[in-house]
């Protein structure tokens, strides 16, 4: 099984109770994934597209593009997911190769005819990446290896070969997937027995827990038809997570005219979108809709901030480099003696004193009930502010494991919330001894790409909401509202700079810092030439911006200058009038500091009706100290003390009067 404590491998004894505020996603991060590419080597897959002068024209044959995709994914995995496995199986080749030791043991060395295991399923190393790169770049070796067989490979043999690879190389991996890349939508057109045999082998793979992912390629003038063969071996839902959403990718098309996206980029986009396995953050959590009415759901992390993998220390003085593991220990301050774990108690400061707790007391303090989601009410979705979220949302989907019928109830709840534009307010305890969270249960509609691929499935999202303790006061600022002329002119600028379809597409903007970090590591590990600068997709396209909005921005700047002069003149006039006003008699003037303070406080006072409204609504905390003191000063009352004392004083006066 996956190593559940992978992220604590540095030797630190991290206690579970220290993670009281964060959801325990250790299992999510440490789950291992094994991916095996199965690439069809047929004459049509080896046919290069017609030559075109267009820069966007396809330059690679489908088979070459598939191998380059595998190479790119292997580059990514070697750094970002060092414990994941990857392999490449070619089928339909004239040569046959499985594993050398097993080939020698078989009678003729042809256990799986026309199947060539280019890279066995294993954790990829720098040598594997170099070998694959050499094959892709060496055209002579490429042509020598990729010779299609006269008779097509049996899909039953291909799937059985994949079964053997997964069984022997990754028997206990939590995620195992087979990526089939082909342009042949009916490999056994005239043989029903071979079709039936392939369906049986596919069922064996699913029973083993292997997910089959198809990456079909449509050739010019011929669309890929799944119904002919692959609908019988490709299941729409995952076997290990039967209730998890599993989008079906559309066929990648080879361009006949050289226009549009290239085959390589299209395949890369499709493979990258499914390169990361779906992993449940929590499983079979009860969702209580009413007293005694529960269903079961699973939670998934759809958005997770990616960071460079944790570095390690290496000891280089031995025969070979070894990872140095750190060990932490608690030391007594007075005697420097190492303290055992049983001698330590957790303590918190309160009033300058240390209040200690036993582990059992800590556990009881943190127990707010069993894990689960409880709906406590419903509100219009318009009442959910855009800022009201503390952490990334969690996508939830029904599960039939604990409560039969959960899917139907979940679907009815989702459709009703979506139709009426409502959200649910929930009490959410993610795991045992976790801090409770108030969360919004927001319905989400299915989102499709331009090609019809599913980007986001329809389901419900749990969005953590802030408590009263989490909200901070806004800073005291003086608002200066822009005149309508400036607003109207800026509206034109904003409209000209809108994103395509007025939406942000995160898949178009890789994190430049993260990608630069990986690129440097890759270059050093593979002994490649170091890149000069990062490929930053977030840099604005200044020429396009200037072309579209340059004149509008210039006009807006002139108008801003004119409006500023008008505003400055008006403010200078009011300041001059105040300075030249008749001064009161000297006997009526107190000290200069007290007088200026009174003027400031009086300027920020509010009326009695407004103050009563804030008291009644319980929003006194939104008022500034200057407003509270100004109101008290007008009535000749004491203005000393901190804000809570001022609020209490005002409330006492209004409630008593």
């Amino acid at each position: 099984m996956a190593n559940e404590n992978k992220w604590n491998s540095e030797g630190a004894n991290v206690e579970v109770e220290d993670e009281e505020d964060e959801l325990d996603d250790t299992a999510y991060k440490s789950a291992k994934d094994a991916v095996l590419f199965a690439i069809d080597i047929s004459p049509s897959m080896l046919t290069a597209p017609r030559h075109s002068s267009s820069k966007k024209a396809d330059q690679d044959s489908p088979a070459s593009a598939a191998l380059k995709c595998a190479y790119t994914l292997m580059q990514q995995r070697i750094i970002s997911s060092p414990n994941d496995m990857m392999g490449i199986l070619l089928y339909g080749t004239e040569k046959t190769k499985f594993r050398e030791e097993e080939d020698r043991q078989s009678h003729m060395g042809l256990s799986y005819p026309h199947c060539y295991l280019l890279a066995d399923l294993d954790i990829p190393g720098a040598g594997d990446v170099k070998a694959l790169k050499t094959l892709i770049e060496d055209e002579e070796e490429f042509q020598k290896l990729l010779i299609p067989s006269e008779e097509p490979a049996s899909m039953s043999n291909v799937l059985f070969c994949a079964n053997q690879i997964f069984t022997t190389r990754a028997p206990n991996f939590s995620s195992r997937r087979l990526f089939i890349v082909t342009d042949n939508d009916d490999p056994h057109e005239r043989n029903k027995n071979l079709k039936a045999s392939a369906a049986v082998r596919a069922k064996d793979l699913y029973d083993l827990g292997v997910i089959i992912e198809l990456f079909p390629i449509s050739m010019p003038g011929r669309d890929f038809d799944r119904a002919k063969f692959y609908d019988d071996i490709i299941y729409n839902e995952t076997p290990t997570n039967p209730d998890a959403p599993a989008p079906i990718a559309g066929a990648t098309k080879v361009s006949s005219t050289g226009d549009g996206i290239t085959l390589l980029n299209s395949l890369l986009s499709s493979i990258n979108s499914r390169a990361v396995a779906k992993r449940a953050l929590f499983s079979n959590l009860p969702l209580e809709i009413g007293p005694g009415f529960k269903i079961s759901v699973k939670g998934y992390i759809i958005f997770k901030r990616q960071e460079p993998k944790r570095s390690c220390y290496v000891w280089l003085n031995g025969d070979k480099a070894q990872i140095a593991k750190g060990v932490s220990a608690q030391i007594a301050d007075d005697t420097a003696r190492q303290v055992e774990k049983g001698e330590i108690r957790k303590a918190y400061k309160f009033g300058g004193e240390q209040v200690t707790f036993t582990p059992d007391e800590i556990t009881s303090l943190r127990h707010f009930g069993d894990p689960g989601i409880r709906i406590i009410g419903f509100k219009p979705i318009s009442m959910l502010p855009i800022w009201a979220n503390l952490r990334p949302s969690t996508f939830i989907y029904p599960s039939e494991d604990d409560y039969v019928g959960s899917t139907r109830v979940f679907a009815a709840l989702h459709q009703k919330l979506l139709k009426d534009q409502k959200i649910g307010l929930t009490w959410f305890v993610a795991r045992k001894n976790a801090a409770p969270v108030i969360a919004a249960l927001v319905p989400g509609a299915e989102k499709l790409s331009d090609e019809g691929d599913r980007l986001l499935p329809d389901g419900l999202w749990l969005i953590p909401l802030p408590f009263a303790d989490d909200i901070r006061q806004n800073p005291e600022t003086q608002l200066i509202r822009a005149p309508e002329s400036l607003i109207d002119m800026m509206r034109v600028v904003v409209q000209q700079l809108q994103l395509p379809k007025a939406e942000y597409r995160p898949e178009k903007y890789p994190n430049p810092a993260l990608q630069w970090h990986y690129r440097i590591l890759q270059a050093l590990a593979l002994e490649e030439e170091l890149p000069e600068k990062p490929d930053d997709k977030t840099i604005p396209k200044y020429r396009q911006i200037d072309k579209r909005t340059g004149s509008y921005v210039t006009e807006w700047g002139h108008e801003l200058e004119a409006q500023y002069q008008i505003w400055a003149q008006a403010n200078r006039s009011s300041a001059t009038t105040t300075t030249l006003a008749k001064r009161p008699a000297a006997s009526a003037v107190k000290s200069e500091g007290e007088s200026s303070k009174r003027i400031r406080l009086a300027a920020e006072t509010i009326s009695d009706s407004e103050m009563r409204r804030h008291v009644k609504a319980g929003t006194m905390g939104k008022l500034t100290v200057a407003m509270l003191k100004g109101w008290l000063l007008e009535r000749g009352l004491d203005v000393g003390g901190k804000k809570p004392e001022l609020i209490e004083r005002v409330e006492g006066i209004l409630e008593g009067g």
Side-chain angles (χ1 to χ4, degrees):
M1 295 297 290
N3 179 13
E4 300 297 328
N5 294 318
K6 169 186 168 186
W7 297 102
N8 297 333
S9 60
E10 317 303 328
N13 296 321
V14 180
E15 297 185 10
V16 176
E17 57 263 22
D18 289 338
E19 303 173 3
E20 58 184 55
D21 292 329
E22 296 295 333
L23 203 57
D24 185 11
D25 59 353
T26 305
Y28 169 82
K29 291 186 288 189
S30 62
K32 295 181 181 179
D33 185 31
V35 173
L36 177 66
F37 274 84
I39 302 174
D40 185 9
I41 305 300
S42 62
S44 59
M45 287 285 287
L46 293 172
T47 303
R50 290 184 299 177
H51 178 73
S52 173
S53 58
S54 173
K55 293 182 179 180
K56 297 182 179 180
D58 293 330
Q59 303 295 332
D60 303 296
S61 66
S64 175
L67 281 171
K68 288 182 179 179
C69 288
Y71 168 68
T72 302
L73 185 61
M74 188 178 287
Q75 283 180 305
Q76 297 170 355
R77 289 283 173 111
I78 198 174
I79 295 174
S80 62
S81 305
N83 291 327
D84 289 353
M85 285 188 174
M86 186 175 162
I88 302 174
L89 174 67
L90 309 178
Y91 67 93
T93 56
E94 184 67 31
K95 294 182 179 180
T96 298
K97 173 189 172 186
F98 184 55
R99 295 193 182 105
E100 294 181 2
E101 64 274 11
E102 295 191 21
D103 286 346
R104 286 194 295 268
Q105 293 173 7
S106 62
H107 296 292
M108 299 295 294
L110 301 175
S111 302
Y112 308 102
H114 309 305
C115 292
Y116 192 95
L117 189 58
L118 182 63
D120 203 356
L121 189 65
D122 203 349
I123 296 175
D128 301 317
V129 180
K130 287 181 182 178
L132 185 55
K133 182 182 179 182
T134 302
L135 174 65
I136 293 173
E137 294 178 348
D138 189 343
E139 188 173 346
E140 183 179 346
E141 186 67 23
F142 185 86
Q143 296 295 337
K144 188 186 302 183
L145 176 63
L146 301 185
I147 300 176
S149 59
E150 294 183 1
E151 59 181 36
S154 166
M155 288 304 297
S156 174
N157 275 341
V158 173
L159 297 176
F160 186 49
C161 179
N163 190 316
Q164 289 295 104
I165 293 171
F166 282 117
T167 302
T168 56
R169 302 296 297 176
N172 297 320
F173 272 46
S174 56
S175 171
R176 291 176 288 183
R177 293 178 294 163
L178 176 64
F179 287 1
I180 300 178
V181 186
T182 181
D183 66 343
N184 188 357
D185 55 10
D186 194 4
H188 302 307
E189 184 177 0
R190 301 175 183 175
N191 195 322
K192 292 184 178 180
N193 291 332
L194 287 178
K195 279 188 177 182
S197 178
V200 171
R201 294 300 186 190
K203 182 65 168 57
D204 292 342
L205 279 172
Y206 276 93
D207 291 342
L208 187 65
V210 177
I211 303 168
I212 302 177
E213 298 266 19
L214 178 65
F215 295 91
I217 298 174
S218 291
M219 305 302 289
R222 179 173 61 85
D223 289 336
F224 194 98
D225 187 0
R226 297 170 181 270
K228 291 182 179 179
F229 176 77
Y230 284 97
D231 278 352
D232 294 332
I233 68 170
I234 305 292
Y235 297 171
N236 291 347
E237 293 184 344
T238 63
T240 53
N241 292 327
D243 304 311
I248 299 176
T252 301
K253 296 184 178 181
V254 176
S255 174
S256 59
T257 62
D259 298 328
I261 191 169
T262 65
L263 172 65
L264 176 59
N265 288 338
S266 184
L267 262 179
L268 272 174
S269 175
S270 183
I271 288 175
N272 283 336
S273 66
R274 288 182 283 172
V276 179
K278 300 178 185 69
R279 293 161 183 165
L281 184 61
F282 53 78
S283 300
N284 304 327
L285 201 68
L287 170 59
E288 183 178 341
I289 302 175
F293 183 20
K294 298 180 180 179
I295 63 174
S296 182
V297 295
K298 292 183 178 182
Y300 299 86
I301 293 181
I302 304 296
F303 306 104
K304 180 75 176 176
R305 178 175 175 80
Q306 292 295 318
E307 297 176 350
K309 298 303 176 184
R310 183 174 295 181
S311 59
C312 58
Y313 294 99
V314 180
W315 184 62
L316 300 174
N317 292 337
D319 295 335
K320 62 179 181 178
Q322 299 180 39
I323 295 178
K325 295 184 178 180
V327 178
S328 63
Q330 302 288 341
I331 304 295
D333 190 27
D334 53 351
T335 62
R337 177 180 65 88
Q338 182 173 338
V339 182
E340 299 297 330
K341 187 176 180 180
E343 303 178 71
I344 301 173
R345 296 181 69 175
K346 180 161 287 189
Y348 293 93
K349 273 191 175 182
F350 185 82
E353 295 184 4
Q354 297 283 0
V355 182
T356 63
F357 296 89
T358 64
D360 291 339
E361 290 172 338
I362 289 288
T363 301
S364 62
L365 282 173
R366 291 178 177 169
H367 183 70
F368 281 86
D370 295 330
I373 307 169
R374 184 188 311 134
I375 296 179
I376 57 179
F378 298 94
K379 290 285 185 182
I381 199 170
S382 58
M383 295 187 67
L384 180 65
I386 191 172
W387 48 263
N389 61 304
L390 287 178
R391 290 191 295 272
S393 55
T394 302
F395 182 78
I396 62 173
Y397 214 68
S399 168
E400 296 284 329
D401 292 348
D402 289 346
Y403 299 96
V404 177
S406 293
T407 304
R408 288 189 176 184
V409 176
F410 184 93
L413 176 63
H414 170 261
Q415 293 171 12
K416 182 63 176 174
L417 291 176
L418 201 60
K419 179 182 177 182
D420 293 351
Q421 288 295 288
K422 301 279 188 181
I423 61 170
L425 291 178
T426 65
W427 173 266
F428 174 37
V429 179
R431 67 182 193 281
K432 187 177 180 181
N433 297 332
V437 174
I438 294 291
L441 193 65
V442 182
E446 182 183 49
K447 187 175 181 181
L448 302 176
S449 67
D450 296 336
E451 294 78 24
D453 297 340
R454 185 188 290 179
L455 298 176
L456 286 177
D458 45 358
L460 296 174
W461 298 83
L462 271 177
I463 302 178
L465 302 178
F467 288 105
D469 316 73
D470 304 321
I471 301 176
R472 299 183 179 183
Q473 292 295 326
N474 291 329
E476 296 183 16
T477 57
Q478 183 181 0
L479 177 64
I480 301 176
R481 188 171 298 277
E484 290 298 325
S485 59
L486 277 176
I487 296 174
D488 292 339
M489 294 177 72
M490 181 53 70
R491 185 177 291 112
V492 177
V493 175
V494 172
Q495 289 172 349
Q496 291 296 321
L497 292 178
Q498 277 194 354
L499 292 170
K501 297 185 179 179
E503 67 174 343
Y504 169 67
R505 300 288 295 274
E507 63 271 15
K508 292 186 176 182
Y509 303 100
N511 183 340
L514 191 68
Q515 295 302 319
W516 180 242
H517 174 83
Y518 285 166
R519 186 68 188 90
I520 293 296
L521 284 183
Q522 174 186 315
L524 293 175
L526 302 182
E527 299 178 356
E528 298 175 347
E529 186 177 350
L530 289 174
E532 295 181 0
K533 60 180 181 178
D535 183 17
D536 190 353
K537 301 290 187 183
T538 64
I539 296 176
K541 298 178 180 179
Y542 296 109
R543 290 186 179 179
Q544 293 185 19
I545 292 173
D546 181 61
K547 184 178 179 181
R548 299 184 65 169
T549 65
S551 59
Y552 298 114
V553 172
T554 303
E555 292 174 7
W556 185 85
H558 294 321
E559 180 66 17
L560 174 63
E561 180 64 27
Q563 292 295 336
Y564 172 74
Q565 294 298 337
I566 295 172
W567 176 84
Q569 184 66 31
N571 279 268
R572 279 199 296 268
S573 299
S574 60
T576 304
T577 304
T578 305
T579 305
L580 297 178
K582 184 179 179 180
R583 296 185 180 181
S587 58
V589 180
K590 295 186 179 181
S591 66
E592 183 180 348
E594 185 178 351
S595 176
S596 61
K597 182 178 180 181
R598 283 179 177 273
I599 292 172
R600 281 201 311 273
L601 294 178
E604 296 195 42
T605 188
I606 63 175
S607 63
D608 288 356
S609 59
E610 284 186 88
M611 188 66 79
R612 290 183 185 276
R613 181 170 56 81
H614 281 291
V615 172
K616 187 175 181 180
T619 57
M620 293 288 288
K622 294 184 178 181
L623 300 178
T624 64
V625 173
M627 289 179 178
L628 295 169
K629 287 187 176 182
W631 190 86
L632 291 168
L633 190 64
E634 277 190 344
R635 287 149 187 78
L637 301 173
D638 181 23
V639 294
K642 296 183 179 180
K643 186 174 181 178
E645 298 173 1
L646 297 175
I647 292 175
E648 186 178 353
R649 198 173 302 148
V650 172
E651 288 177 343
I653 293 169
L654 292 177
E655 291 173 358

